[in-house]
Amino acid sequence: MTRVVVLGAGFGGLEVSARLSESLGDAVEVVLVDRAESFVFGFSKLDVMFGRVPAEHVRHRYTDIVKPGVRLVTASVLAIDPVARRVETDAGTFDADVLVVALGADVHPEATPGLVEGGHEFYTVAGAFALRDALADFDGGRVVVGVTSTPFKCPPAPSETALLLDELLTRRGVRETSEITLVMPFGMPIPPSPAASTALLAAFGERKIVWHPEAFVQSLDPAARVAHLSDGSTLPYDLFLGVPVHRVPEVVAASGMTVDGWVPVDPFTLETRFPGVYAVGDVTSVGTPKAGVFAEGQGAVAADRIVSSLRGARPRAEYDGHGVCYLEVGGGEVGKVDVLFRPGERPSGALVGPSVDLAAEKSTFGATRVARWFGRTWSPLG
């Protein structure tokens, strides 16, 4: 029996596993490896941070996955040999006929001096969930939301966070005595979509959110409560929310699969230079944003190509670089950024909304994936 080993159970790994099971059932052995016990949508981190739902509501347990041909292994990956397609974990060694690397990007708050001691990060599950209490206790003041390096996951998230902070502080009656500053290394909030960027900049202006473009946060001085930026300026803060440095997982870097820090793949097929080895999602340098919807699309193509090969047919599925990101703007409204990243072409993106109807569409997006991947009903906000 053919064995497909899938490393990582995020958007990409879950989609690969689901498609292989749907197409091949028990005719293929899918070994799905992840060190975590549950999956959490990126947008659910904000829901917990801002007190909309309890943390347990947004955890999707991997043990709920019951699919023909799929075996879940809860383990840490210790070594990857892409030539032999062999994976060592702390639960044993697995030899693969086909290997799919979907281990995502790891975040490193410790890489930015002072961030661990003097600020908060909201890109890990633990960091975002801990911020629920920090925000609950915050009674206003100077808030800085800052990006520390590129690339980073979910490019709209810092803008969403600034807007939701404005809404939170307004609701508490302390917005007039507070300042919110957003620091990003781009000339506009969402570079592939001028329409979305224009709408965000207008929203920042209306809500008196200070937009500080084309700069990184290089370090924090925890004692002085000051952020030092790459353009030489400084920002005092009472609360700092940081987007940490992102790097390929160390086990992937040690495997010899990376070039310039990430795994290069054929942008249409998601194949690496190693025969029988695919890579999808944030771990790659495919050229799309590091966001779940793109990992899902790449996983779908990789799975379809694997199925075709196992059936003796010529693989024809190709990745088109298309993705849709939902953008929270507060007030119960959500915008939709529809973007396209084609190799050799300039990225393009359009904005739909924002509207309350799109907030419902975003909820449906989450619910359908939980039903597909975990086999149960779920509503993001309960």
Side-chain angles (χ1 to χ4, degrees):
M1 182 179 292
T2 299
R3 173 185 282 174
V4 180
V5 176
V6 181
L7 304 181
F11 270 84
L14 288 168
E15 183 63 16
V16 169
S17 302
R19 283 192 174 243
L20 291 176
S21 178
E22 290 167 359
S23 298
L24 301 172
D26 290 330
V28 65
E29 179 189 8
V30 179
V31 179
L32 178 60
V33 182
D34 199 288
R35 65 187 177 187
E37 295 183 351
S38 58
F39 168 79
V40 176
F41 288 103
F43 62 77
S44 290
K45 296 174 190 173
L46 293 180
D47 290 334
V48 173
M49 271 176 60
F50 288 97
R52 297 169 173 172
V53 292
E56 193 56 34
H57 177 71
V58 304
R59 296 184 189 273
H60 307 288
R61 304 287 175 181
Y62 290 128
T63 51
D64 289 345
I65 299 175
V66 180
K67 294 184 178 297
V70 178
R71 172 160 64 106
L72 172 68
V73 176
T74 303
S76 294
V77 178
L78 305 178
I80 303 169
D81 182 341
V83 176
R85 296 190 294 275
R86 177 172 295 122
V87 178
E88 294 180 22
T89 78
D90 55 11
T93 300
F94 299 92
D95 291 307
D97 297 295
V98 181
L99 177 63
V100 181
V101 180
L103 286 169
D106 287 346
V107 300
H108 293 269
E110 78 286 352
T112 301
L115 176 53
V116 173
E117 301 84 359
H120 303 268
E121 60 83 14
F122 58 100
Y123 266 60
T124 64
V125 170
F129 288 6
L131 264 168
R132 178 187 183 119
D133 293 336
L135 292 177
D137 294 336
F138 185 63
D139 56 4
R142 298 164 299 185
V143 185
V144 175
V145 180
V147 176
T148 64
S149 74
T150 59
F152 60 92
K153 293 184 276 190
C154 195
S159 299
E160 291 180 295
T161 300
L163 291 167
L164 293 176
L165 278 166
D166 168 80
E167 183 176 56
L168 176 70
L169 298 179
T170 299
R171 189 167 62 245
R172 289 189 183 158
V174 296
R175 182 64 181 94
E176 293 300 319
T177 57
S178 299
E179 299 174 6
I180 300 174
T181 302
L182 174 59
V183 181
M184 294 186 74
F186 312 131
M188 55 182 67
I190 304 178
S193 177
S197 294
T198 298
L200 282 171
L201 291 174
F204 297 161
E206 291 169 1
R207 304 179 199 190
K208 299 181 180 179
I209 295 171
V210 179
W211 163 242
H212 194 122
E214 299 182 338
F216 296 98
V217 176
Q218 290 188 321
S219 65
L220 300 184
D221 182 336
R225 310 295 282 180
V226 170
H228 295 268
L229 310 189
S230 59
D231 61 7
S233 63
T234 59
L235 288 173
Y237 68 88
D238 298 300
L239 178 67
F240 181 87
L241 306 184
V243 178
V245 171
H246 287 52
R247 294 175 183 155
V248 71
E250 291 182 6
V251 68
V252 178
S255 72
M257 297 181 68
T258 63
V259 175
D260 295 330
W262 305 95
V263 180
V265 295
D266 183 305
F268 297 104
T269 68
L270 290 314
E271 295 168 308
T272 70
R273 62 188 176 91
F274 301 95
V277 181
Y278 293 79
V280 301
D282 296 352
V283 76
T284 74
S285 56
V286 70
T288 60
K290 295 190 182 299
V293 67
F294 296 101
E296 178 185 343
Q298 293 161 26
V301 169
D304 288 351
R305 294 185 70 87
I306 293 168
V307 169
S308 295
S309 295
L310 295 181
R311 287 175 172 170
R314 179 183 176 184
R316 297 186 180 276
E318 290 190 346
Y319 182 57
D320 64 4
H322 177 253
V324 170
C325 292
Y326 293 99
L327 175 66
E328 286 232 29
V329 299
E333 293 190 332
V334 170
K336 181 167 68 173
V337 185
D338 194 313
V339 290
L340 184 65
F341 290 80
R342 293 284 291 178
E345 299 178 12
R346 186 182 182 88
S348 61
L351 174 67
V352 182
S355 70
V356 174
D357 288 343
L358 284 172
E361 182 180 308
K362 177 185 173 183
S363 291
T364 300
F365 172 90
T368 55
R369 278 144 184 83
V370 170
R372 174 173 168 72
W373 295 334
F374 295 91
R376 62 184 181 84
T377 58
W378 179 73
S379 175
L381 295 179

